[in-house]
């Protein structure tokens, strides 16, 4: 059985907690690995112990972000944080299948 590793957070607002994926806010007050310069939400993959996507929320509440893929990235989005995480999961599964 693989061990899930939670990100090290210090006062960050957690927006979504699933078994494998978490989403949390980052800012200058609550930085995370210098990603706060380019985004405000991180989707973290606890299975891989790594950032799965870097994202932002709009003034309307929807969320958009990117997951790394090769030398580029894949856009992910959702009307809610949960939908955003679902989009990250779907695309991450696609990437894993494509790389086999």
């Amino acid at each position: 059985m693989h061990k899930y590793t939670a990100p090290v957070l210090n006062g960050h607002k957690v927006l979504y907690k699933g078994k494998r994926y978490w989403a949390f806010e980052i800012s200058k007050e609550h930085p995370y690995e210098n990603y706060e310069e380019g985004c405000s939400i991180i989707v973290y993959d606890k299975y891989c112990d790594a950032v799965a996507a870097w994202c932002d929320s709009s003034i309307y509440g929807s969320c958009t972000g990117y997951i790394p893929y090769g030398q580029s990235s894949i856009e992910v989005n959702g009307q809610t944080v949960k939908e955003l995480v679902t989009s990250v999961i779907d695309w991450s599964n696609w990437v894993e299948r494509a790389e086999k």
Side-chain angles (χ1 to χ4, degrees), residues 36-68:
E36 63 279 358
E37 296 298 323
C39 67
S40 60
I41 299 171
I42 291 292
V43 178
Y44 191 86
D45 183 342
K46 292 173 32 185
Y47 182 81
C48 294
D49 191 18
V51 173
W54 56 95
C55 312
D56 284 300
S57 59
S58 75
I59 58 172
Y60 305 106
S62 62
C63 303
T64 303
Y66 300 92
I67 60 172

Side-chain angles (χ1 to χ4, degrees), residues 1 8 10 12-13 19 31 35-36 49 52 57 60 68 71 83-84 90:
M1 183 172 173
V8 177
N10 185 16
H12 295 78
K13 181 178 179 183
K19 181 176 180 181
Y35 285 106
E36 63 279 358
D49 191 18
S57 59
Y60 305 106
Q71 295 179 345
E83 287 180 10
L84 173 70
D90 291 345

